[in-house]
PDB file of all heavy atoms in Angstrom:
ATOM      1  N   ILE A 323      94.695 -28.576  48.453  1.00  0.00           N
ATOM      2  CA  ILE A 323      95.542 -29.741  48.196  1.00  0.00           C
ATOM      3  C   ILE A 323      95.071 -30.426  46.914  1.00  0.00           C
ATOM      4  O   ILE A 323      93.905 -30.315  46.536  1.00  0.00           O
ATOM      5  CB  ILE A 323      95.548 -30.783  49.351  1.00  0.00           C
ATOM      6  CG1 ILE A 323      94.128 -31.261  49.649  1.00  0.00           C
ATOM      7  CG2 ILE A 323      96.209 -30.266  50.601  1.00  0.00           C
ATOM      8  CD1 ILE A 323      94.133 -32.542  50.459  1.00  0.00           C
ATOM      9  N   LEU A 324      96.013 -31.115  46.274  1.00  0.00           N
ATOM     10  CA  LEU A 324      95.669 -31.853  45.057  1.00  0.00           C
ATOM     11  C   LEU A 324      95.505 -33.311  45.437  1.00  0.00           C
ATOM     12  O   LEU A 324      96.392 -33.890  46.067  1.00  0.00           O
ATOM     13  CB  LEU A 324      96.798 -31.732  44.028  1.00  0.00           C
ATOM     14  CG  LEU A 324      97.244 -30.318  43.659  1.00  0.00           C
ATOM     15  CD1 LEU A 324      98.393 -30.379  42.663  1.00  0.00           C
ATOM     16  CD2 LEU A 324      96.078 -29.525  43.076  1.00  0.00           C
ATOM     17  N   ILE A 325      94.378 -33.898  45.047  1.00  0.00           N
ATOM     18  CA  ILE A 325      94.193 -35.319  45.351  1.00  0.00           C
ATOM     19  C   ILE A 325      93.556 -36.024  44.149  1.00  0.00           C
ATOM     20  O   ILE A 325      92.889 -35.376  43.341  1.00  0.00           O
ATOM     21  CB  ILE A 325      93.320 -35.556  46.616  1.00  0.00           C
ATOM     22  CG1 ILE A 325      91.930 -34.934  46.449  1.00  0.00           C
ATOM     23  CG2 ILE A 325      93.998 -35.043  47.871  1.00  0.00           C
ATOM     24  CD1 ILE A 325      90.954 -35.377  47.537  1.00  0.00           C
ATOM     25  N   PRO A 326      93.756 -37.339  44.049  1.00  0.00           N
ATOM     26  CA  PRO A 326      93.090 -38.063  42.959  1.00  0.00           C
ATOM     27  C   PRO A 326      91.588 -38.183  43.223  1.00  0.00           C
ATOM     28  O   PRO A 326      91.147 -38.075  44.371  1.00  0.00           O
ATOM     29  CB  PRO A 326      93.762 -39.440  42.971  1.00  0.00           C
ATOM     30  CG  PRO A 326      94.570 -39.518  44.200  1.00  0.00           C
ATOM     31  CD  PRO A 326      94.643 -38.174  44.844  1.00  0.00           C
ATOM     32  N   PHE A 327      90.859 -38.400  42.172  1.00  0.00           N
ATOM     33  CA  PHE A 327      89.400 -38.485  42.259  1.00  0.00           C
ATOM     34  C   PHE A 327      89.021 -39.883  42.771  1.00  0.00           C
ATOM     35  O   PHE A 327      88.487 -40.701  42.030  1.00  0.00           O
ATOM     36  CB  PHE A 327      88.819 -38.226  40.860  1.00  0.00           C
ATOM     37  CG  PHE A 327      87.393 -37.760  40.866  1.00  0.00           C
ATOM     38  CD1 PHE A 327      86.857 -37.181  39.717  1.00  0.00           C
ATOM     39  CD2 PHE A 327      86.588 -37.884  41.974  1.00  0.00           C
ATOM     40  CE1 PHE A 327      85.553 -36.736  39.683  1.00  0.00           C
ATOM     41  CE2 PHE A 327      85.281 -37.446  41.962  1.00  0.00           C
ATOM     42  CZ  PHE A 327      84.768 -36.871  40.805  1.00  0.00           C
ATOM     43  N   GLU A 328      89.343 -40.157  44.040  1.00  0.00           N
ATOM     44  CA  GLU A 328      89.072 -41.488  44.615  1.00  0.00           C
ATOM     45  C   GLU A 328      88.374 -41.301  45.945  1.00  0.00           C
ATOM     46  O   GLU A 328      88.866 -40.571  46.810  1.00  0.00           O
ATOM     47  CB  GLU A 328      90.376 -42.246  44.846  1.00  0.00           C
ATOM     48  CG  GLU A 328      90.989 -42.745  43.570  1.00  0.00           C
ATOM     49  CD  GLU A 328      92.377 -43.321  43.803  1.00  0.00           C
ATOM     50  OE1 GLU A 328      92.647 -43.813  44.933  1.00  0.00           O
ATOM     51  OE2 GLU A 328      93.195 -43.244  42.867  1.00  0.00           O
ATOM     52  N   ILE A 329      87.292 -42.012  46.124  1.00  0.00           N
ATOM     53  CA  ILE A 329      86.455 -41.783  47.293  1.00  0.00           C
ATOM     54  C   ILE A 329      87.205 -42.008  48.612  1.00  0.00           C
ATOM     55  O   ILE A 329      87.038 -41.236  49.554  1.00  0.00           O
ATOM     56  CB  ILE A 329      85.132 -42.598  47.231  1.00  0.00           C
ATOM     57  CG1 ILE A 329      84.213 -42.257  48.391  1.00  0.00           C
ATOM     58  CG2 ILE A 329      85.373 -44.083  47.122  1.00  0.00           C
ATOM     59  CD1 ILE A 329      83.728 -40.842  48.432  1.00  0.00           C
ATOM     60  N   ASN A 330      88.080 -43.001  48.674  1.00  0.00           N
ATOM     61  CA  ASN A 330      88.764 -43.256  49.945  1.00  0.00           C
ATOM     62  C   ASN A 330      89.663 -42.095  50.350  1.00  0.00           C
ATOM     63  O   ASN A 330      89.748 -41.731  51.519  1.00  0.00           O
ATOM     64  CB  ASN A 330      89.624 -44.531  49.874  1.00  0.00           C
ATOM     65  CG  ASN A 330      88.734 -45.736  49.736  1.00  0.00           C
ATOM     66  OD1 ASN A 330      87.555 -45.684  50.105  1.00  0.00           O
ATOM     67  ND2 ASN A 330      89.265 -46.811  49.158  1.00  0.00           N
ATOM     68  N   ILE A 331      90.317 -41.526  49.356  1.00  0.00           N
ATOM     69  CA  ILE A 331      91.211 -40.394  49.649  1.00  0.00           C
ATOM     70  C   ILE A 331      90.387 -39.154  49.989  1.00  0.00           C
ATOM     71  O   ILE A 331      90.701 -38.417  50.929  1.00  0.00           O
ATOM     72  CB  ILE A 331      92.165 -40.157  48.465  1.00  0.00           C
ATOM     73  CG1 ILE A 331      92.974 -41.435  48.251  1.00  0.00           C
ATOM     74  CG2 ILE A 331      93.078 -38.958  48.728  1.00  0.00           C
ATOM     75  CD1 ILE A 331      93.952 -41.399  47.137  1.00  0.00           C
ATOM     76  N   ILE A 332      89.302 -38.939  49.262  1.00  0.00           N
ATOM     77  CA  ILE A 332      88.427 -37.790  49.564  1.00  0.00           C
ATOM     78  C   ILE A 332      87.920 -37.920  51.010  1.00  0.00           C
ATOM     79  O   ILE A 332      87.969 -36.985  51.800  1.00  0.00           O
ATOM     80  CB  ILE A 332      87.247 -37.728  48.565  1.00  0.00           C
ATOM     81  CG1 ILE A 332      87.772 -37.445  47.152  1.00  0.00           C
ATOM     82  CG2 ILE A 332      86.233 -36.667  48.980  1.00  0.00           C
ATOM     83  CD1 ILE A 332      86.731 -37.521  46.053  1.00  0.00           C
ATOM     84  N   ARG A 333      87.480 -39.134  51.363  1.00  0.00           N
ATOM     85  CA  ARG A 333      86.973 -39.368  52.737  1.00  0.00           C
ATOM     86  C   ARG A 333      88.043 -39.117  53.789  1.00  0.00           C
ATOM     87  O   ARG A 333      87.767 -38.532  54.836  1.00  0.00           O
ATOM     88  CB  ARG A 333      86.485 -40.822  52.867  1.00  0.00           C
ATOM     89  CG  ARG A 333      85.122 -41.023  52.283  1.00  0.00           C
ATOM     90  CD  ARG A 333      84.167 -41.553  53.368  1.00  0.00           C
ATOM     91  NE  ARG A 333      82.818 -41.518  52.861  1.00  0.00           N
ATOM     92  CZ  ARG A 333      81.885 -40.672  53.279  1.00  0.00           C
ATOM     93  NH1 ARG A 333      82.141 -39.791  54.218  1.00  0.00           N
ATOM     94  NH2 ARG A 333      80.683 -40.699  52.776  1.00  0.00           N
ATOM     95  N   LYS A 334      89.282 -39.548  53.483  1.00  0.00           N
ATOM     96  CA  LYS A 334      90.374 -39.355  54.449  1.00  0.00           C
ATOM     97  C   LYS A 334      90.529 -37.864  54.774  1.00  0.00           C
ATOM     98  O   LYS A 334      90.644 -37.472  55.941  1.00  0.00           O
ATOM     99  CB  LYS A 334      91.684 -39.902  53.838  1.00  0.00           C
ATOM    100  CG  LYS A 334      92.873 -39.796  54.747  1.00  0.00           C
ATOM    101  CD  LYS A 334      94.107 -40.429  54.107  1.00  0.00           C
ATOM    102  CE  LYS A 334      95.152 -39.359  53.846  1.00  0.00           C
ATOM    103  NZ  LYS A 334      96.286 -39.798  53.080  1.00  0.00           N
ATOM    104  N   TYR A 335      90.470 -37.028  53.747  1.00  0.00           N
ATOM    105  CA  TYR A 335      90.652 -35.586  53.988  1.00  0.00           C
ATOM    106  C   TYR A 335      89.427 -34.941  54.616  1.00  0.00           C
ATOM    107  O   TYR A 335      89.551 -34.024  55.423  1.00  0.00           O
ATOM    108  CB  TYR A 335      91.086 -34.879  52.694  1.00  0.00           C
ATOM    109  CG  TYR A 335      92.558 -35.116  52.457  1.00  0.00           C
ATOM    110  CD1 TYR A 335      92.986 -36.075  51.553  1.00  0.00           C
ATOM    111  CD2 TYR A 335      93.508 -34.427  53.203  1.00  0.00           C
ATOM    112  CE1 TYR A 335      94.342 -36.331  51.370  1.00  0.00           C
ATOM    113  CE2 TYR A 335      94.861 -34.669  53.032  1.00  0.00           C
ATOM    114  CZ  TYR A 335      95.277 -35.625  52.123  1.00  0.00           C
ATOM    115  OH  TYR A 335      96.606 -35.887  51.957  1.00  0.00           O
ATOM    116  N   ILE A 336      88.241 -35.444  54.277  1.00  0.00           N
ATOM    117  CA  ILE A 336      87.045 -34.901  54.938  1.00  0.00           C
ATOM    118  C   ILE A 336      87.146 -35.164  56.444  1.00  0.00           C
ATOM    119  O   ILE A 336      86.854 -34.294  57.267  1.00  0.00           O
ATOM    120  CB  ILE A 336      85.756 -35.514  54.348  1.00  0.00           C
ATOM    121  CG1 ILE A 336      85.596 -35.056  52.894  1.00  0.00           C
ATOM    122  CG2 ILE A 336      84.527 -35.102  55.167  1.00  0.00           C
ATOM    123  CD1 ILE A 336      84.392 -35.612  52.181  1.00  0.00           C
ATOM    124  N   ASN A 337      87.598 -36.362  56.808  1.00  0.00           N
ATOM    125  CA  ASN A 337      87.757 -36.684  58.234  1.00  0.00           C
ATOM    126  C   ASN A 337      88.757 -35.756  58.908  1.00  0.00           C
ATOM    127  O   ASN A 337      88.522 -35.251  59.997  1.00  0.00           O
ATOM    128  CB  ASN A 337      88.206 -38.140  58.424  1.00  0.00           C
ATOM    129  CG  ASN A 337      87.073 -39.085  58.103  1.00  0.00           C
ATOM    130  OD1 ASN A 337      85.900 -38.674  58.109  1.00  0.00           O
ATOM    131  ND2 ASN A 337      87.387 -40.327  57.775  1.00  0.00           N
ATOM    132  N   LYS A 338      89.880 -35.535  58.225  1.00  0.00           N
ATOM    133  CA  LYS A 338      90.896 -34.625  58.781  1.00  0.00           C
ATOM    134  C   LYS A 338      90.294 -33.244  59.019  1.00  0.00           C
ATOM    135  O   LYS A 338      90.517 -32.627  60.055  1.00  0.00           O
ATOM    136  CB  LYS A 338      92.070 -34.462  57.804  1.00  0.00           C
ATOM    137  CG  LYS A 338      93.150 -35.522  57.935  1.00  0.00           C
ATOM    138  CD  LYS A 338      94.266 -35.157  56.948  1.00  0.00           C
ATOM    139  CE  LYS A 338      95.289 -36.256  56.813  1.00  0.00           C
ATOM    140  NZ  LYS A 338      96.449 -36.105  57.626  1.00  0.00           N
ATOM    141  N   ILE A 339      89.553 -32.756  58.044  1.00  0.00           N
ATOM    142  CA  ILE A 339      88.972 -31.404  58.161  1.00  0.00           C
ATOM    143  C   ILE A 339      87.964 -31.381  59.314  1.00  0.00           C
ATOM    144  O   ILE A 339      87.976 -30.478  60.154  1.00  0.00           O
ATOM    145  CB  ILE A 339      88.320 -30.986  56.815  1.00  0.00           C
ATOM    146  CG1 ILE A 339      89.409 -30.786  55.759  1.00  0.00           C
ATOM    147  CG2 ILE A 339      87.487 -29.714  56.980  1.00  0.00           C
ATOM    148  CD1 ILE A 339      88.941 -30.803  54.316  1.00  0.00           C
ATOM    149  N   THR A 340      87.114 -32.421  59.375  1.00  0.00           N
ATOM    150  CA  THR A 340      86.105 -32.484  60.442  1.00  0.00           C
ATOM    151  C   THR A 340      86.777 -32.489  61.813  1.00  0.00           C
ATOM    152  O   THR A 340      86.291 -31.885  62.761  1.00  0.00           O
ATOM    153  CB  THR A 340      85.247 -33.766  60.279  1.00  0.00           C
ATOM    154  OG1 THR A 340      84.825 -33.831  58.927  1.00  0.00           O
ATOM    155  CG2 THR A 340      84.032 -33.757  61.185  1.00  0.00           C
ATOM    156  N   ASN A 341      87.929 -33.185  61.915  1.00  0.00           N
ATOM    157  CA  ASN A 341      88.618 -33.286  63.208  1.00  0.00           C
ATOM    158  C   ASN A 341      89.604 -32.149  63.469  1.00  0.00           C
ATOM    159  O   ASN A 341      90.408 -32.214  64.392  1.00  0.00           O
ATOM    160  CB  ASN A 341      89.390 -34.616  63.297  1.00  0.00           C
ATOM    161  CG  ASN A 341      88.440 -35.790  63.179  1.00  0.00           C
ATOM    162  OD1 ASN A 341      87.274 -35.683  63.546  1.00  0.00           O
ATOM    163  ND2 ASN A 341      88.916 -36.903  62.613  1.00  0.00           N
ATOM    164  N   GLY A 342      89.584 -31.138  62.617  1.00  0.00           N
ATOM    165  CA  GLY A 342      90.499 -29.996  62.798  1.00  0.00           C
ATOM    166  C   GLY A 342      91.951 -30.350  62.548  1.00  0.00           C
ATOM    167  O   GLY A 342      92.852 -29.681  63.061  1.00  0.00           O
ATOM    168  N   GLU A 343      92.200 -31.395  61.734  1.00  0.00           N
ATOM    169  CA  GLU A 343      93.596 -31.814  61.499  1.00  0.00           C
ATOM    170  C   GLU A 343      94.119 -31.429  60.124  1.00  0.00           C
ATOM    171  O   GLU A 343      95.183 -31.877  59.699  1.00  0.00           O
ATOM    172  CB  GLU A 343      93.705 -33.344  61.660  1.00  0.00           C
ATOM    173  CG  GLU A 343      93.526 -33.796  63.086  1.00  0.00           C
ATOM    174  CD  GLU A 343      93.161 -35.288  63.166  1.00  0.00           C
ATOM    175  OE1 GLU A 343      93.173 -35.969  62.118  1.00  0.00           O
ATOM    176  OE2 GLU A 343      92.839 -35.737  64.274  1.00  0.00           O
ATOM    177  N   PHE A 344      93.356 -30.617  59.395  1.00  0.00           N
ATOM    178  CA  PHE A 344      93.804 -30.202  58.061  1.00  0.00           C
ATOM    179  C   PHE A 344      94.919 -29.172  58.211  1.00  0.00           C
ATOM    180  O   PHE A 344      95.034 -28.516  59.249  1.00  0.00           O
ATOM    181  CB  PHE A 344      92.617 -29.610  57.304  1.00  0.00           C
ATOM    182  CG  PHE A 344      92.842 -29.431  55.823  1.00  0.00           C
ATOM    183  CD1 PHE A 344      93.038 -30.532  55.001  1.00  0.00           C
ATOM    184  CD2 PHE A 344      92.834 -28.163  55.247  1.00  0.00           C
ATOM    185  CE1 PHE A 344      93.230 -30.368  53.627  1.00  0.00           C
ATOM    186  CE2 PHE A 344      93.025 -27.988  53.875  1.00  0.00           C
ATOM    187  CZ  PHE A 344      93.218 -29.093  53.067  1.00  0.00           C
ATOM    188  N   LYS A 345      95.742 -29.025  57.178  1.00  0.00           N
ATOM    189  CA  LYS A 345      96.900 -28.118  57.279  1.00  0.00           C
ATOM    190  C   LYS A 345      96.464 -26.683  57.600  1.00  0.00           C
ATOM    191  O   LYS A 345      95.379 -26.244  57.214  1.00  0.00           O
ATOM    192  CB  LYS A 345      97.676 -28.135  55.964  1.00  0.00           C
ATOM    193  CG  LYS A 345      96.908 -27.570  54.783  1.00  0.00           C
ATOM    194  CD  LYS A 345      97.841 -27.415  53.591  1.00  0.00           C
ATOM    195  CE  LYS A 345      97.079 -27.024  52.345  1.00  0.00           C
ATOM    196  NZ  LYS A 345      97.914 -26.683  51.220  1.00  0.00           N
ATOM    197  N   LYS A 346      97.333 -25.968  58.284  1.00  0.00           N
ATOM    198  CA  LYS A 346      97.072 -24.547  58.562  1.00  0.00           C
ATOM    199  C   LYS A 346      97.577 -23.750  57.363  1.00  0.00           C
ATOM    200  O   LYS A 346      98.677 -24.003  56.869  1.00  0.00           O
ATOM    201  CB  LYS A 346      97.830 -24.103  59.823  1.00  0.00           C
ATOM    202  CG  LYS A 346      97.404 -24.863  61.079  1.00  0.00           C
ATOM    203  CD  LYS A 346      96.055 -24.358  61.634  1.00  0.00           C
ATOM    204  CE  LYS A 346      95.472 -25.293  62.681  1.00  0.00           C
ATOM    205  NZ  LYS A 346      94.629 -26.385  62.137  1.00  0.00           N
ATOM    206  N   SER A 347      96.796 -22.793  56.919  1.00  0.00           N
ATOM    207  CA  SER A 347      97.181 -22.072  55.706  1.00  0.00           C
ATOM    208  C   SER A 347      97.329 -20.581  55.971  1.00  0.00           C
ATOM    209  O   SER A 347      96.892 -20.080  57.006  1.00  0.00           O
ATOM    210  CB  SER A 347      96.113 -22.281  54.636  1.00  0.00           C
ATOM    211  OG  SER A 347      94.915 -21.622  55.001  1.00  0.00           O
ATOM    212  N   SER A 348      97.951 -19.898  55.015  1.00  0.00           N
ATOM    213  CA  SER A 348      97.957 -18.436  55.101  1.00  0.00           C
ATOM    214  C   SER A 348      97.680 -17.845  53.715  1.00  0.00           C
ATOM    215  O   SER A 348      97.627 -18.573  52.716  1.00  0.00           O
ATOM    216  CB  SER A 348      99.266 -17.929  55.684  1.00  0.00           C
ATOM    217  OG  SER A 348     100.330 -18.429  54.927  1.00  0.00           O
TER     218      SER A 348
END
Side-chain angles (χ1 to χ4, degrees):
I323 57 163
L324 306 178
I325 59 169
F327 202 164
E328 286 172 28
I329 185 63
N330 293 337
I331 301 180
I332 295 173
R333 280 239 170 251
K334 182 177 115 188
Y335 281 100
I336 293 179
N337 288 340
K338 274 183 190 264
I339 292 162
T340 311
N341 299 332
E343 291 161 6
F344 193 65
K345 65 170 173 172
K346 298 283 167 272
S347 69
S348 55

